[in-house]
Amino acid sequence: VLFRSSSGPGGNSVSVTATDAAGNVSDATSQTLVLDPANPVLSITTPIAGDGFVNDTEDEASLSISGTSSGADGSTVVVTVEGNTFNGTIATGGAWSIALTAAQVKALTPGSVTVTANATNWAGRAAVPVSASFLYDRTAPVVSAIAITSASGLQNNSLNAGDEVTATVTMSEAVSVSGTPTLTLTIG
């Protein structure tokens, strides 16, 4: 006999009767069955903040951390960020999210920030905690050195209008360059 609960989690009453070949029906016998689901499974949507970074401009707004779950609809997801706990509700279908206010984001320690999520379903079964991280960087990079590594038309350590110059720029941290970088030289 395959039993499918129509009443959801918890106790489900089952009533059974038997009918013999002559058509005699037995008295009903009832039993309460308790469904015991598997442990829920959680995930955190990455990269957090869309790119895995929260900078000094982005920390002016709230930060949403979200994920999915299976087997824990309606349960509470507990999200820990640097020792601070945030609770959210897992929606039907498994989606969940919590939000840190701008003040809570600014209170984070700059560097790699670890986010951990956990949940327990209605039957008391806990998910395996999951973690993800993002980089909180409030400091803009600084140019620490510029060196001219080659130049066409360089004469007596002087550059002339129209000369092509190759320069090496050293930054205080790793940066990504997109497009065509422009370097303005002030001669004087």
Side-chain angles (χ1 to χ4, degrees):
V1 174
L2 175 63
F3 173 74
R4 293 190 182 181
S5 170
S6 61
S7 61
N12 293 274
S13 181
V14 177
S15 180
V16 178
T17 59
T19 304
D20 65 15
N24 299 311
V25 180
S26 71
D27 291 335
T29 302
S30 296
Q31 171 120 17
T32 298
L33 300 176
V34 177
L35 298 179
D36 190 8
N39 292 32
V41 177
L42 287 176
S43 68
I44 297 173
T45 302
T46 56
I48 293 173
D51 61 2
F53 295 90
V54 174
N55 63 35
D56 197 37
T57 301
E58 294 168 327
D59 71 2
E60 297 297 326
S62 64
L63 172 64
S64 177
I65 298 172
S66 61
T68 59
S69 168
S70 64
D73 291 7
S75 298
T76 299
V77 62
V78 179
V79 179
T80 305
V81 182
E82 280 194 354
N84 298 304
T85 301
F86 303 88
N87 293 329
T89 301
I90 299 172
T92 300
W96 61 265
S97 70
I98 59 99
L100 281 69
T101 65
Q104 290 167 325
V105 174
K106 288 180 179 186
L108 297 173
T109 304
S112 182
V113 177
T114 300
V115 174
T116 303
N118 201 353
T120 302
N121 65 15
W122 61 268
R125 293 194 177 261
V128 173
V130 293
S131 296
S133 61
F134 64 92
L135 185 64
Y136 181 39
D137 184 356
R138 297 180 60 189
T139 306
V142 176
V143 174
S144 54
I146 300 175
I148 295 177
T149 53
S150 70
S152 66
L154 183 64
Q155 299 172 359
N156 300 325
N157 287 332
S158 297
L159 295 171
N160 298 304
D163 287 349
E164 289 189 25
V165 177
T166 302
T168 300
V169 179
T170 304
M171 307 295 287
S172 61
E173 62 182 80
V175 296
S176 296
V177 178
S178 61
T180 303
T182 303
L183 178 64
T184 302
L185 299 176
T186 304
I187 302 173

